[in-house]
Amino acid sequence: MQIALLAPLPPEQNGIADYAGHLKQALEDLGVRVRTPLQGIGNDPQAARQRVAEADWQGINLVHAEIGGGRLAEFHALRALRQRFPHLPLTATVHDPERLVWRRQALPWPLSLAASLRSPLPEIATVLADPLCLHEERQLARQMTRLITLTQTGNRCLQQRMGLRQEQMAVIAHGNLPIAPLPLPPLRPLKLLYFGFIYRGKGIEDLLEALARLFVEKPGLRARVRLTLAGGSEPEMAFGASGSYLEQLRQRIRELGLSDLIGWHLDLPASDIPHVIQAHHVMVLPYRESSKLKILGQLRGTSGALSWATACGRGAITSDARSFAEEVSHGNGLIYAQGNVQALTQALASLCEQPQLAQTWADQAAILGRQRVWNLTAERFQQLFQHACEVH
């Protein structure tokens, strides 16, 4: 079988590129030939359409895309492919259900005139143009052979919002690398880890506030808890009009009196990720759903960071954003209400009072991790691709 993969790929710095890189390698290990016709164009919809027009599609059995993360290139490539090849099997992993891309390449006139005006006029224009964006998403979604989500929650939301048939839908959990198990460190001090790209909107401030409250409410725990902030500090996300987000975090840490309790591991090489995660007891992901996105729909994706926790045999405390509740419903962690700092404080207190929970969660995460290794995940994709070719 020969497929074309439409996706960002390493060395691009984002979770979908990491995911696509692992999937590509695992499929090739199974003997699937994988071509990457969009490689090198970045997130340029016009360049994507041009590649579709110019590339040689001879011998391609199926085209698979990775859609999400605010990217539009793959979406427009799929639209062009469907128009050019009505009978070519098209599949995609949708990373941010219940929508495909959530935004258009450009606002239609006259709403486009608002793009250069002061806030909130551009945002209002985006909302007014959303019915057109949703129509275009539904149009493509209904023409796809298969749409894959990483969770059942995301699958249900995507099917309902896009108006899809059940036979178009599939769920394949986020794959992970086979990481050699490592016992938990000694339970004192309790080592917490935030891992992922570090930028606004991840709820990191909530975690800092919760930790400070925990030590006010239970001063005796101060000597027994440590937190590490680890992950990528992508420049275009970590710096903006309001200055360096990393420096703002450091300033907030100083204001809360937590400087001696918090360590940093920025821009980790991939080879160091398992070591850093396994040096801790529990991952904490305090994500908040974007208030702007709530106007347009429900974001029900999951997290590459959470997949790493599973792969490394570590439990997680997460907010109930995205599809996290489903992902930690296997006895591998604890959920709290997003944005509720006191609820997060209580979750941390519960873990401190029952540190053996970290071992229970780790054991369940390890079982889940073995079920989701990339070679098994790639086999599920290969079977789906074969079936998609047959039914199409």
Side-chain angles (χ1 to χ4, degrees):
M1 172 179 280
Q2 182 175 204
I3 73 166
L5 176 63
L6 311 181
L9 289 164
E12 290 193 48
Q13 294 277 317
N14 61 73
I16 295 180
D18 293 341
Y19 177 97
H22 290 307
L23 176 60
K24 177 177 181 291
Q25 183 61 59
L27 287 170
E28 289 175 337
D29 290 344
L30 291 176
V32 178
R33 295 177 61 193
V34 182
R35 285 167 50 183
T36 53
L38 299 189
Q39 193 160 9
I41 69 166
N43 186 23
D44 185 337
Q46 178 58 37
R49 290 189 290 265
Q50 188 171 343
R51 284 284 179 91
V52 169
E54 296 175 351
D56 178 13
W57 299 94
Q58 189 74 23
I60 296 291
N61 302 110
L62 173 143
V63 176
H64 178 73
E66 301 295 330
I67 300 180
R71 292 180 58 92
L72 292 168
E74 293 77 23
F75 177 77
H76 284 274
L78 287 171
R79 293 183 75 193
L81 279 165
R82 179 48 77 223
Q83 185 174 12
R84 184 177 174 188
F85 303 110
H87 302 295
L88 180 65
L90 301 180
T91 65
T93 309
V94 181
H95 289 265
D96 297 325
E98 62 182 2
R99 304 278 294 266
L100 298 187
V101 288
W102 295 80
R103 65 187 180 97
R104 299 189 80 242
Q105 179 182 356
L107 295 176
W109 189 90
L111 293 174
S112 57
L113 300 175
S116 59
L117 301 179
R118 295 179 61 180
S119 182
L121 292 177
E123 291 82 358
I124 293 171
T126 298
V127 172
L128 291 175
D130 188 58
L132 176 58
C133 179
L134 184 59
H135 168 74
E136 292 169 346
E137 289 176 289
R138 284 174 170 163
Q139 188 178 50
L140 176 62
R142 293 169 185 178
Q143 294 173 342
M144 296 291 291
T145 314
R146 288 287 185 277
L147 289 170
I148 302 109
T149 59
L150 305 177
T151 65
Q152 295 287 351
T153 303
N155 195 270
R156 289 192 299 270
C157 290
L158 180 68
Q159 181 181 0
Q160 183 175 2
R161 191 68 187 275
M162 294 293 108
L164 302 173
R165 305 184 309 277
Q166 182 60 47
E167 58 267 26
Q168 287 180 274
M169 310 304 297
V171 178
I172 300 179
H174 198 306
N176 56 250
L177 295 171
I179 307 297
L182 199 67
L184 289 178
L187 290 175
R188 283 200 181 190
L190 190 65
K191 297 180 179 179
L192 307 174
L193 173 69
Y194 167 86
F195 173 68
F197 287 103
I198 296 175
Y199 51 79
R200 294 172 180 84
K202 290 297 189 79
I204 300 173
E205 298 89 345
D206 288 350
L207 177 53
L208 300 178
E209 297 283 347
L211 206 57
R213 286 192 192 184
L214 179 67
F215 299 145
V216 169
E217 295 174 7
K218 301 178 184 293
L221 293 179
R222 187 177 179 89
R224 295 167 47 190
V225 181
R226 297 292 182 272
L227 171 65
T228 301
L229 301 177
S233 56
E234 195 174 4
E236 61 266 32
M237 301 296 282
F239 296 86
S242 56
S244 166
Y245 178 58
L246 293 176
E247 183 51 43
Q248 290 170 15
L249 279 181
R250 291 188 174 103
Q251 175 63 29
R252 188 59 182 146
I253 288 168
R254 290 191 291 269
E255 292 170 354
L256 293 171
L258 299 174
S259 299
D260 58 322
L261 306 178
I262 294 180
W264 295 81
H265 279 294
L266 295 180
D267 302 317
L268 283 173
S271 58
D272 291 349
I273 293 174
H275 170 74
V276 169
I277 293 175
Q278 291 181 324
H280 293 80
H281 297 96
V282 173
M283 189 179 288
V284 186
L285 299 177
Y287 289 21
R288 283 190 179 204
E289 292 175 10
S290 165
S291 57
K292 295 178 183 177
L293 280 181
K294 283 181 181 178
I295 300 173
L296 307 179
Q298 300 179 80
L299 184 62
R300 288 295 175 258
T302 181
S303 159
L306 196 50
S307 177
W308 271 110
T310 301
C312 293
R314 295 296 182 265
I317 294 174
T318 79
S319 74
D320 59 0
R322 304 192 181 189
S323 293
F324 288 166
E326 179 179 330
E327 290 288 77
V328 297
S329 66
H330 307 274
N332 56 319
L334 182 66
I335 287 286
Y336 74 94
Q338 62 177 302
N340 188 331
V341 174
Q342 189 55 42
L344 177 54
T345 303
Q346 186 54 51
L348 296 176
S350 297
L351 178 60
C352 291
E353 292 164 0
Q354 306 173 72
Q356 67 276 11
L357 282 174
Q359 185 63 63
T360 301
W361 297 344
D363 292 342
Q364 294 303 312
I367 294 171
L368 204 58
R370 289 193 293 270
Q371 297 170 351
R372 295 182 175 184
V373 289
W374 269 115
N375 65 322
L376 297 178
T377 301
E379 288 179 4
R380 297 179 186 115
F381 270 99
Q382 185 183 38
Q383 292 167 5
L384 182 142
F385 293 160
Q386 290 171 340
H387 189 252
C389 288
E390 291 166 4
V391 299
H392 207 91

